[in-house]
Amino acid sequence: MSNPVFVAVDTPDVAAARALVAAVAPYVGGVKLGLEFFCAHGPAGIAAVMEGQSLPLFLDLKLHDIPNTVAGAVRSLAPLAPSILTVHAAGGHAMLAAARATALPGTHVVAVTVLTSLDDADLLSAGVPDGAATQAARLARLTRGAGLNGIVCSPHEVAAVKAEWANGLFVVPGVRPAGSDAGDQKRVMTPAEALKAGAGVLVIGRPITSAPDPAAAAAAIAASL
């Protein structure tokens, strides 16, 4: 896509979300709405934010349940026509395949591998001893085998996974412009670095949404690419 930046709109306020999207729309390639907003307002709130917008919608709900339940959730979300929809790769092959089989043809279903808020020590404490890079690669292979479009991974894993899956869609959070606060993200890169590594979609939230002028921040990031 011409602009890989998807702005992560993490707010429970519909009016604020609409205003933010309107302000940054000329400078981003899409809009990501996630759990906080969806739990506050549901599908109607998503539709309200996207009303009148031509930008693609990234619906980041990280679905993770038994295959039948995930398939039902994907079916229920179809009226929103998301361009990208997330599930958790750890749900297993049957769940991943059910999500892909149920999604609309125009929806890219991508699986979350290892959250960017986790590092190797966090994974070890959860019973995954071989680190983020190995776990992301393992889950990427599972996801590809289930027929999904791609994965969500940190910028530190994307190059190795892309070497095995050249036509996958790699959605990359943990992207911070130089000098930005990493916040709760532990595995980060700058937008240009992540794009060079192989990212297809750059998910950027607080460096844009918390800036004094979100439109200017979004424009500066786009210009840096």
Side-chain angles (χ1 to χ4, degrees):
M1 58 189 67
S2 59
N3 186 338
V5 175
F6 275 54
V7 60
V9 182
D10 297 317
T11 172
D13 187 318
V14 174
R18 283 180 57 87
L20 176 65
V21 170
V24 304
Y27 311 109
V28 299
V31 176
K32 182 185 90 78
L33 289 163
L35 276 175
E36 181 178 6
F37 188 88
F38 191 82
C39 288
H41 300 289
I46 301 286
V49 171
M50 299 305 295
E51 183 181 7
Q53 285 292 340
S54 59
L55 291 171
L57 167 65
F58 173 12
L59 195 54
D60 186 22
L61 301 183
K62 300 181 177 70
L63 302 174
H64 189 177
D65 212 308
I66 64 172
N68 187 62
T69 297
V70 167
V74 173
R75 191 176 299 111
S76 295
L77 294 168
L80 296 173
S83 177
I84 303 173
L85 176 66
T86 52
V87 298
H88 262 293
H93 184 280
M95 189 208 79
L96 296 170
R100 177 61 272 171
T102 310
L104 295 174
T107 296
H108 296 79
V109 183
V110 299
V112 177
T113 54
V114 179
L115 297 172
T116 51
S117 59
L118 303 177
D119 58 19
D120 289 353
D122 296 317
L123 289 174
L124 181 60
S125 71
V128 180
D130 41 10
T134 299
Q135 179 70 350
R138 178 186 295 122
L139 292 175
R141 295 184 196 106
L142 175 68
T143 300
R144 185 181 184 185
L148 271 66
N149 300 99
I151 61 166
V152 181
C153 66
S154 96
H156 291 272
E157 289 92 55
V158 67
V161 177
K162 190 177 180 68
E164 295 187 18
W165 191 359
N167 64 341
L169 174 61
F170 300 103
V171 177
V172 176
V175 177
R176 292 288 187 268
S180 294
D181 182 6
D184 55 1
Q185 306 292 316
K186 293 183 178 179
R187 304 188 330 275
V188 302
M189 281 187 183
T190 68
E193 288 170 340
L195 200 63
K196 184 178 180 180
V201 169
L202 304 174
V203 181
I204 303 178
R206 282 163 284 186
I208 295 174
T209 60
S210 297
D213 185 343
I221 291 171
S224 75
L225 302 176

